[in-house]
């Protein structure tokens, strides 16, 4: 596993206006902020960054194929060797050992937030699932897998390098075992709830760990109430609600496979008499429920990302408004709406203003009970607002 010290292959000079346009401590240098490259670095090479005035600024990975030309690893002139990587991995794992409890499914490395730009690692039982979303991390994935395996004692490392963003880095898509062996289907737990995760084929790296604490917060409201779980996927929000005493749960999802697995999860948790699941598009099913007079005490909205770029925000906000307007009409007086957005480009205030506009159109008064974000194992780096992407508003409908 020994790795020699890497030496920068080139010097990248930042443009004159760069300091005026970039927040201090931000880990991305875009192509437009590069004035000059002195040397001939290839994708994934280590380079040093210098300001226009000639001052050393940082050290990171270079990629001529990406709009993010350099991903910064450090702002110090320190060696990048096995000790560097081991220290970063150790720091990430120690944080999770302190802040994560009640589950065997959580994020160990959250990319830039753990100062490991472009690297995602989730743990599901004895499997580590790794995504290398940057060329520099992809080139070093074997060393990183060895360090992670040694420190965690996990039985294997599975590569989920099938995220579309890899294509923007000039990287191929792949899914395969990198270390170890064994079944890639794992039973995980979140407090009293049990779920099945397929690390090979499941969404993202297999599971939505970022909503774990929001699921429990929503479930805490559900005792003796009727719950509608929209975009339920494999049932996690609703099953937690059922385990917390919900009288009934109806889950809706457009994916037949997700609905099948949600039913299996309900049976696994012995709440199949409480939970029912239905295949259907939310934008079509919510008006049907309204027309039939169906009403619920808690409505949960956890849609996929509607805005994957700045250009898509206007259209996305229109979609969020329509979705929340329909949902608000289904909530009984003094009931609750749990409204989520995983679109980074849609900020918390954007989502709140959209809910307020939806409430006005639906002729409902609302008050905010709690504003939440992603689970604590997905920390937010203060200098990089991009690392805070998940919003979860818990709202009472008056």
């Amino acid at each position: 596993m020994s790795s020699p010290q890497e030496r920068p292959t080139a010097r990248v000079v930042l443009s004159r206006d760069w300091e005026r346009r970039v927040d201090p401590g931000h880990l991305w240098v875009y192509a437009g902020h590069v004035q000059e490259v002195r040397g001939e670095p290839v994708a994934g090479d280590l380079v040093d960054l210098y300001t226009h005035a000639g001052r050393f600024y940082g050290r990171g990975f270079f990629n001529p194929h990406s709009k993010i030309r350099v991903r910064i690893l450090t702002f110090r002139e320190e060696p990048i060797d096995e000790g560097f990587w081991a220290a970063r991995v150790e720091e990430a794992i120690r944080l999770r050992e302190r802040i994560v409890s009640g589950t065997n499914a959580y994020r160990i490395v959250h990319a830039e937030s753990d100062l490991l730009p472009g690297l995602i690692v989730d743990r599901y039982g004895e499997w580590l699932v790794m995504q290398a979303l940057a060329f520099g991390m992809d080139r070093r994935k074997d060393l990183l897998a060895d360090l992670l395996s040694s420190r965690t004692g996990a039985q294997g490392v599975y590569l989920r390098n099938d995220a579309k963003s890899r294509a923007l880095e000039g990287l191929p898509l792949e899914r395969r075992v990198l270390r170890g062996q064994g079944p890639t289907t794992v039973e995980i737990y979140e407090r009293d709830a049990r779920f099945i995760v397929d690390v090979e084929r499941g969404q993202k790296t297999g599971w939505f760990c970022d909503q774990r604490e929001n699921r429990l917060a929503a479930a805490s409201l559900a005792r003796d109430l009727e719950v509608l779980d929209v975009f339920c996927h494999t049932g996690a929000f609703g099953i937690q609600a059922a385990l917390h005493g919900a009288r009934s749960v109806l889950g809706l999802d457009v994916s037949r496979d997700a609905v099948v697995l949600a039913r299996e999860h309900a049976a696994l948790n012995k709440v199949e008499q409480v939970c029912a699941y239905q295949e259907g598009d939310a934008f079509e099913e919510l008006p049907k429920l309204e027309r039939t007079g169906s009403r619920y005490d808690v409505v949960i909205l956890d849609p996929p990302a509607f805005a994957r770029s700045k250009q898509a925000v206007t259209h996305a906000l229109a979609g969020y408004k329509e979705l929340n307007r329909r949902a608000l009409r289904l909530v009984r007086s003094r009931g609750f709406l749990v409204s989520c957005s995983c679109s980074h480009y849609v900020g918390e205030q954007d989502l709140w203003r959209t809910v307020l506009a939806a409430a006005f159109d639906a002729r409902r008064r609302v008050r905010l009970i709690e504003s939440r974000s992603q689970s604590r194992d997905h920390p937010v780096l203060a200098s990089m607002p991009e690392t805070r992407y998940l919003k979860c508003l818990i709202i009472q409908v008056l």
Side-chain angles (χ1 to χ4, degrees), residues 101 170 205 216 234 273 320 385 387:
S101 63
T205 63
L216 293 170
T234 59
Q273 300 304 313
Y320 283 124
T387 59

Side-chain angles (χ1 to χ4, degrees), residues 215 218-220 222-225 227 235-249 274-275 298 300:
R215 288 191 279 266
S220 69
R223 179 172 298 278
D224 298 325
L225 301 182
V227 176
F237 263 103
I239 286 167
Q240 286 286 14
L243 290 172
H244 280 72
R247 187 160 67 247
S248 69
V249 174
V274 176
C275 297
V298 180
I300 300 165

Side-chain angles (χ1 to χ4, degrees), residues 184-236:
T184 55
T185 300
V186 183
E187 182 175 309
I188 66 163
Y189 62 87
E190 292 182 354
R191 300 289 176 89
D192 295 332
R194 299 293 185 270
F195 304 99
I196 303 299
V197 170
D198 185 342
V199 301
E200 182 177 6
R201 298 181 182 85
Q203 290 287 325
K204 297 176 75 174
T205 63
W207 187 248
F208 294 99
C209 295
D210 51 4
Q211 286 280 30
R212 179 181 60 255
E213 293 162 18
N214 296 332
R215 288 191 279 266
L216 293 170
S220 69
L221 304 171
R223 179 172 298 278
D224 298 325
L225 301 182
E226 294 180 288
V227 176
L228 175 64
D229 183 8
V230 188
F231 303 97
C232 70
H233 193 232
T234 59

